[in-house]
Amino acid sequence: MKALPDGVLVRHRDEEAEAAQNYAKPKEGVEERQRELEDDVDFFDAGDKENPESDQVEVIENFHDNQLQRQSSEQIADEDNDEIQEGEMMGIVRLDDGRRIQVPMRYLEAREGDDSPGYEDVEMDAKQANENGGNDGNAGQEEVPDQPMNLVEGSQDRVERLDSAASSESDPEFRDLVSVEANWHHYVRSWNRIFTNLFESNQHFEQLAFHYRSKQISANPKLELRCLAATSALDSFTVSTIWSLEFIEGSSNDDWHETKVVVPAYARGFMFVSAGVEASIDNIYGSSNMEIPSAYLSVGTFVSCMLFVGTETVRCWGAGSFGILGQGSTQNIGDDPDEMGDNLKPIDLGTGRTVKQVACGSAHVCALLDNEVLKCWGYGLEGRLGQGNTKSIGDGPNEMGDNLAPIDLGINRTAKTVAAGEHHTCAILDNDSLKCWGSGSFGKLGQGSTKDIGDDPDEMGDNLEPIDLGTGRTVKQVSLGRDFTCALLDDDSLKCWGYGGNGNLGQGSTEHIGDEPNEMGDNLAPIDLGPNRKVKHVVAGGLHTCVLLHDETVLCWGFARHGQLGRCCAENIGDSEHEMGYSLTAVDLGSMRTAKQITAGYMHTCALLDDHSVKCWGHGVYGQLGQGDNSHLGDDADEMGDLLEPIDFGEDRKARQLASASGYDFHSCVLLDDDSVKCWGWGNAGVLGQGSTDSIGDAMAEMGDFLHPINFGALSTVAQIDIRLFGGSSMRGRLQVLHRDSWRDVCDDNWHGADAQVVCQQLGLAGGVATWRLVGSGQFWMDDVTCVGTEANLGACSFRGWGVHNCFSNEAAGVECHVDAWSHLADPDIESSAGRTEHSAVWDERRGSMLVLGGHASSHFIYYDDLWIYEASEAQRGPLWNQLHVAPAHRHGHTAVFDSDSSTMLIFGGSYTTKTYDELWLYSLLNFTWTLVSSAIKPEARVYHSAVWDGDHQLMLVHAGENGFRLEDLWEFRLQFQSWRQVESTDSPKPSPRSRHSAIWAHVAEAMLVFGGLGASALSDLWHFSLSTNFWTLLSPALAPGSHYGHTAIWDPTALSMLTFGGVKTQNSFQSYSADLWRYSLLDNSWTQMAPPGPYPSPSAREGHTAVFDSLKRHMYVLGGFNASYKNDMWRYKAPDFQEVPMRECSLGQECSMEFADVQGTQSQLVIVESVGLLSGLNDTSFAYLAWEGREFFLEGSNASKSLDWFAEPGIYHIRRCPVGMNASCDPLQEVGVNFGIFIIAGPFSNQSFRCDLGSHCLVYGLQGTRLTKDDKLLAMKECGTSPATSAFVDPQPVHGSYSGLGNVTFDFGLLPLEGFASETVQLCWCSAGSTCSDPEDFRTPAMQLDVTCPPGTYELVGRTRRCHVCPPGYFCPGGVSFMAQLKQCPYGSTSSRSSSSLQACECRRGHFLDVETGSCLPCLIGSYKDAVGPFMCQACPLHTTTVSAGAIAISECMCASDWFDVQPAPDVFDCTMQSRLPQRYVSNDTFVGFASTQRQVYSFNGSISVEGLSLEDLRGALEAYLGEHGLLTKRASFELHTAAEEATDSWVNYEVMSSEEESAAELSAMFEPWPFAAWAFQSSSSLATAVMLNPSSVREQLLECPEGMAFAPGSLASGHGCGSLQFEQVSPANAHGIATMIEWPDEEAFRALPLRKEKERSSMVAPKGWLAPHAV
């Protein structure tokens, strides 16, 4: 058992009882025992003895008539250099062996005249308590009888109470203890020293346990326990300090503490001394070795194994070759990270089987099971597995467990213990005989041969004879060396056989023994160790042997090269005569040191000493000696004894068990007092369990605390255990746990508040104070229980293992529990020793953890950007606090919310020094990354605002705050879309601007509650905001807590309540920090103050703290804050249990009934009353009655199906119960009765609509209502509850929602058809997830009106048949409902492509440019052109050319200017030449041609029109009107009509449409398509009403070319599209001048090139708009 750390409260006493009894009269028997001691003490004068040189006291042996002769003696000096004073009285103490020692009387005197009486113990001793029939004073309560413990043996106490001279008379093996109590309280003298009489024992105790308390009163304080110990020769004595208390300067603690101290082997007496302290010592107990260890270790060359006593399972690590680890593979374990801990699985040894012992060989492992069956696995060579073959076992699947056959040891023979060597295995059987099998080399199997045994059939079982060790001899213990075997026999003699080449057999020779006949039995002499030397334990190493004698000394012989025998000079011992017997000296382990256990490795030896330290010597190349180097020790002088340092296993760590391997191995393992395991030495194959193959101990800084314990994971925890409080009340008592159908105690070792809190929590109580030192049954199931404090069950806490303990019967643990109270948790282990305020905290319900971010302690110039996680889940085994990543920036006054679904924390706003943030950051707990949300629309920067999280809708609401001034706005952030939206509330009152307020999200009401804050003054109002209706409601509860700001609030979903704590409150115009805890009940709209001041601890008043709520355990955590200083403390409040609020939910359109167990129709009347913040939904009233029918309540007024069809709106309502006896006139509006429960009407709100376009995927989202889920279903119907078929939904099927669409819940109706369909309006009808929803009648509730519309880019044609049609060129069609789904013609001068849906699709057509001032498309000016559609500018015609008119669409419309003539007829080739320069052949007398082209590009299409009784001229006129109505007949287009025959009129008329502009041709073609033409004709009153357009062709591109000598005239198509002769005309200068005045040129240079223009005309001209500077000019 570990000593408890300082500061841990170890006993709970009643303060009044303690005050009354602490200085009571001495206990009965004390004076009598004091006189007995005085009879053994004589006095003499110390004389002038000065400055003694040693601390030994010479024994006085000459006694004459009790007259002591004055002898030369030496002082017992302490660390204070307290000298024997001249004239000081000395005393003689008689020891239990009859010897007397001389000590200063100040250690022994009875202190006559001392008026400080002894301490009266409050507790009853074990005997008295048992006689009273109760525990800790609760007499008469019957205890369930304990069942026999079959898990471990020897659990009864070996304990004496020293300060009351009590002994356990029931234990015959326990001898009386001679002891005395003399004033075990503090005794103040001039040097302020506590003295206790030397107390001694006839029995050697291995540990002392006692309680102490101390208080520092002067400098250099000290409280020590000193031991008077005899040397090994028992002829002198030393005084040594075996325990001391370390004081923290300025500390003061009156609490009682318990500790246990290891007692040296030669201890003969003890005393307490002190200086500079007030101290009390009480309850001193001594015990023999009663410890039940937590585990047993065994190691081999390639493997290390541990048997866990508490679970009786085995886990092995190291090399996986040959299946050594029993995991069904050959994979190594422990050589790579993450292979230990919970990943290290117990070995399967059969269904229901447990393990009693494990033994490791070099490459195989054996286990003795609970049914005394023996199983071995691993390397099977030489038959060492005893299976009659040489196969390896455990390296493949299905080889372990029930498939692994037990070893046949003979008929009715079982094993008591097993040992495994490098190549062979031995077992002591139930009749104490010994059998060995495996490799027979050197005769180590003891069968008189070297034959292997166990590798062939019929060699095991009864065919294997027990080893003959002599007549009548049996075996007590066996140990296996590398190639030899040693057995400790029943007469304590020792025999070894096998390989003897180094004297390891101890026979004075190097002969092998056992490999020939007649070498065993009586022929094998016991090893001579000398008379009166009895062997307690033997260990066989690689080539040497060691024994632990009964006097706890160690002898070694055999191979000595590396010092493994602990003797210098490297000479083997035992290989020659006269080396054994008394010639064999004990290994020097150090002054006053003896051994408790020894182990032998291949070439090194280790010893566990009486002070629980460990020393190793011998071969040290791999660090197996643990000294931080690779040197050998023990092979040279001055390396053993006190010069050999104990191995450092860490501060204050003590060893409990050792293990080393005798095979070719160089590592050892130790079990420490804290049940941890550490291994060091050769790290081959991961045998050290550190996740690597590195050796440990061969270099500095590898041992001690640098060497981490092996991680075995959660070994001792269980999912659930039953507990009870015994011998007390429901609130306090001794704790007992149930295991294996037996109730037993819990030991109080390390029992503290967190453990008690877990117990109280499991019992349904709160808080918890640990109590201890209760007298119990003496049988314990749990020891060293360690809880985090938040576990739901004590079984989730770690402990040493079932039945593993080192406790006395009076060490039972207990608890005292609370309700509605606070618990002070350990201060956060985070880097904020200065404390912090204005930080944020969120609770992760799934992980049971809290995230804490930022904050500040600005007065100390500290600003935080750290992020911490507080793990409070049941699985927590490491430190409670762990730091995660730092925040993107320092901040405080921000808000944080947490989304459990995505494990994301959302951080918004805050400030740092003078900067205020408008940032929103997301932190993912899945990948531990920060993400900045980028959004153009977001709230302004702010600090001291509030934020709540709605997990159902995945949104955060941010309210108010400040940024130079206080805000009042409300914003909504949706995580799925990462988008902000300002929430505009309905026309209702709303909270005034504020900051430092609190807000919570009430899930049941789908609403936010906002309380208090700081506005123009401190605020006390409470507001309710309904997200469903965007409606604010001011609440007016009674007994309000008054104005608060800087407080925190959490939501308790069980109690339907808001808890607020702390802040700054205002009372009587005076402001102060508050420590009040208030609860607001949403059920009854009232405030109640909680956790009133009492005897329990509570947090101090504060503001700027954080609070989170664990709804599963009903814990509220409060962290940090400020109240004149920054806080770094953490508190937990346990909310009291509330009776579950009756809550019933019904769905619109479904049957609704309710059952209430404690309400009957004849006793009470139930009324449904509208809750706050909702629109009226009860037929224009505010309440409705519930009628009792049989055993259920139904709504009065519901129809025959008892459905909620008559409700107008869903929502959350109160169920109010009228008092018994009230009649139907009970008026709930007068607030008669009490709110009994919550009634939720689930369903969609009315008057909602949505639009889906034909031909598109219909995803319906944004459905609003109460309690809508993704599992609800919608069905498209003409009318809800009727036949579902519609035009667009021919065979509709119910559609359930999902969260993956465009809103909170999205319903996917799939791809809607388009061809041949027109718009329509249908109803989307709702059915709740809790209903069957199998029939259209189940969908009675309208959820939305769905407008099925023509999609953008189409328009609805209303003709003989309605349908959606593709928008034609030159138009845009926005789509939508029928009255909106019309053609929208592009503005003048612009056109569009087919399927255009918006005005933005209209672009300036050819020949038109965009006027940036008016935004209109204007024609290109004369002399310019534009040959493409789009936002391009017009271009100037080439040099010396112009156009006939504005709006030219191609360069081909350019012609030579006045006085210039084109002499090149090729298209787009200009050769304009002045008239005076023209050759005579280009001049004629008839026609003037500016620019003649022989080619022209045109676009045309054709088809037929069916007409009856319509002349060609009438048809032409009707078509011109039709096309002119749409503005499509231009100078660039023309159409021709002609009949199929030569007749003038026919029923079929062919048409041909031609245009020089591609876009114009496309626009015309769309109008000649059958459906648009028919729709227009159907609506037209013209003669075309019966016309039908047939066989329209597509628009085709044509290149027209004139014959030689002919050309097209310049200009548009309308000016003639035929070819003409090329003719030229002589132009007079005057005429040329007139033509020249009509031309406008783009720049000055071109302008000056016109010599005929007058100067004044020229100076008034300006460049036209829309022109580009022509490159040709």
Side-chain angles (χ1 to χ4, degrees), residues 257-326:
H257 303 264
E258 182 193 35
T259 190
K260 292 183 180 179
V261 180
V262 174
V263 175
Y266 295 122
R268 289 298 181 268
F270 310 91
M271 65 189 73
F272 288 92
V273 295
S274 70
V277 296
E278 292 181 358
S280 298
I281 308 294
D282 202 357
N283 288 340
I284 303 177
Y285 287 82
S287 72
S288 59
N289 186 14
M290 47 177 268
E291 180 172 7
I292 300 173
S294 62
Y296 292 99
L297 293 169
S298 181
V299 300
T301 303
F302 304 105
V303 63
S304 301
C305 292
M306 188 167 176
L307 166 60
F308 297 91
V309 173
T311 59
E312 296 176 304
T313 59
V314 171
R315 303 187 189 197
C316 298
W317 61 98
S321 305
F322 313 112
I324 307 173
L325 305 183

Side-chain angles (χ1 to χ4, degrees), residues 589-590 605-607 609 613-617 641-642 644-647:
L589 300 174
T605 309
C606 294
L609 305 186
S613 64
V614 173
K615 291 185 177 183
C616 295
W617 58 94
D642 293 332
L644 177 58
E645 292 291 333
I647 297 176

Side-chain angles (χ1 to χ4, degrees), residues 204-205 227 229-230 262-268 551-552 592-596 610-611:
H204 170 60
F205 290 108
C227 167
V262 174
V263 175
Y266 295 122
R268 289 298 181 268
D551 63 359
E552 297 183 334
M592 311 298 296
R593 293 280 72 86
T594 59
K596 297 171 64 70
D610 61 309
D611 62 351

Side-chain angles (χ1 to χ4, degrees), residues 668-997:
S668 298
C669 296
V670 63
L671 175 67
L672 300 175
D673 56 338
D674 62 352
D675 296 329
S676 64
V677 174
K678 293 185 177 184
C679 298
W680 68 99
W682 192 26
N684 173 45
V687 293
L688 304 185
Q690 296 293 332
S692 72
T693 58
D694 297 337
S695 295
I696 295 176
D698 56 348
M700 298 298 293
E702 290 185 346
M703 299 298 292
D705 292 324
F706 294 102
L707 176 56
H708 297 291
I710 296 176
N711 178 17
F712 293 111
L715 297 173
S716 298
T717 57
V718 291
Q720 298 284 332
I721 60 173
D722 292 330
I723 64 175
R724 71 178 184 182
L725 297 183
F726 183 80
S729 66
S730 61
M731 297 287 290
R732 61 176 298 177
R734 193 172 90 240
L735 176 63
Q736 290 192 328
V737 299
L738 180 65
H739 180 64
R740 294 188 176 180
D741 299 323
S742 175
W743 287 99
R744 293 187 180 173
D745 295 337
V746 174
C747 182
D748 63 9
D749 291 349
N750 283 341
W751 185 248
H752 49 78
D755 311 321
Q757 290 163 15
V758 172
V759 171
C760 294
Q761 172 69 11
Q762 183 177 344
L763 294 173
L765 303 171
V769 171
T771 60
W772 46 83
R773 274 313 214 186
L774 307 179
V775 178
S777 63
Q779 293 182 319
F780 298 92
W781 275 133
M782 303 174 75
D783 186 17
D784 279 339
V785 176
T786 303
C787 301
V788 174
T790 56
E791 292 85 349
N793 190 280
L794 189 66
C797 303
S798 66
F799 61 102
R800 299 186 63 191
W802 291 115
V804 178
H805 70 91
N806 62 342
C807 304
F808 310 148
S809 59
N810 67 330
E811 290 186 276
V815 296
E816 179 178 310
C817 300
H818 314 147
V819 294
D820 188 21
W822 291 93
S823 295
H824 186 191
L825 304 183
D827 290 343
D829 186 18
I830 58 179
E831 296 177 359
S832 59
S833 57
R836 66 178 70 201
T837 186
E838 297 178 3
H839 47 292
S840 66
V842 296
W843 182 257
D844 181 356
E845 197 76 53
R846 293 183 177 179
R847 295 174 176 82
S849 60
M850 176 174 62
L851 293 172
V852 178
L853 174 71
H856 74 90
S858 55
S859 296
H860 302 291
F861 305 100
I862 299 175
Y863 297 88
Y864 298 105
D865 62 352
D866 49 354
L867 174 62
W868 292 83
I869 185 170
Y870 172 76
E871 298 285 354
S873 63
E874 294 181 33
Q876 173 66 30
R877 289 296 174 265
L880 291 179
W881 289 93
N882 287 292
Q883 186 171 7
L884 302 177
H885 299 77
V886 297
H890 299 82
R891 69 186 64 223
H892 61 88
H894 55 283
T895 55
V897 298
F898 191 80
D899 173 35
S900 296
D901 291 340
S902 62
S903 296
T904 300
M905 179 175 63
L906 294 80
I907 303 294
F908 176 69
S911 66
Y912 172 54
T913 61
T914 60
K915 181 177 177 60
T916 304
Y917 298 109
D918 63 355
E919 300 171 342
L920 174 60
W921 287 90
L922 309 180
Y923 181 79
S924 172
L925 264 182
L926 300 179
N927 51 29
F928 304 105
T929 56
W930 286 98
T931 302
L932 176 64
V933 175
S934 177
S935 179
I937 301 176
K938 60 182 177 181
E940 63 180 290
R942 65 191 62 207
V943 66
Y944 306 135
H945 50 285
S946 65
V948 299
W949 178 253
D950 176 5
D952 290 340
H953 300 95
Q954 295 284 285
L955 63 84
M956 174 178 66
L957 292 176
V958 172
H959 177 240
E962 64 181 66
N963 185 6
F965 55 90
R966 292 187 176 88
L967 306 169
E968 61 178 349
D969 51 350
L970 178 63
W971 287 80
E972 168 192 294
F973 174 79
R974 290 188 178 268
L975 180 61
Q976 184 175 7
F977 314 116
Q978 298 197 6
S979 63
W980 286 96
R981 179 182 72 90
Q982 186 168 5
V983 179
E984 300 294 341
S985 60
T986 57
D987 187 16
S988 65
K990 62 180 181 180
S992 60
R994 67 190 60 212
S995 63
R996 300 178 186 267
H997 54 290

Side-chain angles (χ1 to χ4, degrees), residues 1283-1565:
S1283 174
T1286 71
S1287 174
F1289 300 90
V1290 179
D1291 184 22
Q1293 299 297 320
V1295 175
H1296 63 78
S1298 69
Y1299 287 122
S1300 59
L1302 301 177
N1304 296 326
V1305 180
T1306 301
F1307 298 88
D1308 187 352
F1309 286 89
L1311 182 65
L1312 299 183
L1314 177 60
E1315 289 296 328
F1317 288 88
S1319 63
E1320 66 173 335
T1321 298
V1322 301
Q1323 285 188 330
L1324 296 182
C1325 305
W1326 177 80
C1327 183
S1328 69
S1331 303
T1332 57
C1333 306
S1334 59
D1335 189 89
E1337 293 185 358
D1338 296 328
F1339 293 82
R1340 294 192 294 267
T1341 303
M1344 277 186 168
Q1345 173 183 298
L1346 178 64
D1347 294 322
V1348 181
T1349 61
C1350 294
T1354 68
Y1355 67 101
E1356 186 167 352
L1357 291 171
V1358 182
R1360 296 180 181 89
T1361 303
R1362 292 179 57 206
R1363 60 171 292 179
C1364 298
H1365 193 70
V1366 177
C1367 196
Y1371 294 82
F1372 65 94
C1373 305
V1377 294
S1378 59
F1379 66 89
M1380 296 179 60
Q1382 302 301 317
L1383 284 170
K1384 307 288 185 180
Q1385 191 169 11
C1386 287
Y1388 169 79
S1390 64
T1391 187
S1392 64
S1393 60
R1394 185 179 292 269
S1395 302
S1396 296
S1397 60
S1398 65
L1399 177 62
Q1400 286 72 25
C1402 297
E1403 298 183 292
C1404 291
R1405 61 191 315 136
R1406 300 172 196 263
H1408 292 74
F1409 71 95
L1410 179 64
D1411 183 4
V1412 295
E1413 292 183 0
T1414 64
S1416 303
C1417 294
L1418 302 179
C1420 293
L1421 298 178
I1422 295 175
S1424 65
Y1425 69 94
K1426 179 168 167 281
D1427 58 3
V1429 175
F1432 313 113
M1433 303 303 294
C1434 300
Q1435 296 189 17
C1437 288
L1439 186 64
H1440 304 150
T1441 66
T1442 186
T1443 59
V1444 174
S1445 60
I1449 67 171
I1451 194 173
S1452 61
E1453 296 190 30
C1454 296
M1455 65 182 181
C1456 292
S1458 168
D1459 295 332
W1460 297 82
F1461 295 88
D1462 187 9
V1463 296
Q1464 175 56 261
D1468 300 338
V1469 177
F1470 298 93
D1471 189 4
C1472 295
T1473 305
M1474 294 183 64
Q1475 179 182 4
S1476 60
R1477 299 177 184 176
L1478 284 175
Q1480 187 61 35
R1481 64 187 180 87
Y1482 286 106
V1483 178
S1484 71
N1485 296 322
D1486 299 326
T1487 306
F1488 163 72
V1489 179
F1491 170 61
S1493 173
T1494 60
Q1495 294 180 334
R1496 175 159 289 177
Q1497 194 81 26
V1498 296
Y1499 303 88
S1500 65
F1501 61 92
N1502 64 326
S1504 301
I1505 303 177
S1506 171
V1507 295
E1508 293 183 4
L1510 195 64
S1511 67
L1512 210 59
E1513 288 72 17
D1514 291 341
L1515 177 61
R1516 181 183 298 277
L1519 286 175
E1520 287 178 349
Y1522 169 52
L1523 298 177
E1525 182 180 328
H1526 293 82
L1528 297 177
L1529 282 181
T1530 66
K1531 62 183 179 179
R1532 302 191 186 280
S1534 66
F1535 70 92
E1536 295 293 338
L1537 299 176
H1538 56 273
T1539 60
E1542 295 296 332
E1543 294 81 3
T1545 303
D1546 194 270
S1547 61
W1548 291 95
V1549 176
N1550 298 328
Y1551 65 86
E1552 181 180 17
V1553 180
M1554 182 179 294
S1555 176
S1556 59
E1557 183 183 5
E1558 181 179 4
E1559 291 75 29
S1560 178
E1563 294 169 2
L1564 286 164
S1565 175

Side-chain angles (χ1 to χ4, degrees), residues 479-498:
S479 180
L480 278 57
R482 186 180 186 190
D483 280 306
F484 67 102
T485 307
C486 292
L488 178 61
L489 305 184
D490 58 322
D491 61 353
D492 292 330
S493 64
L494 179 65
K495 291 186 177 184
C496 297
W497 60 95

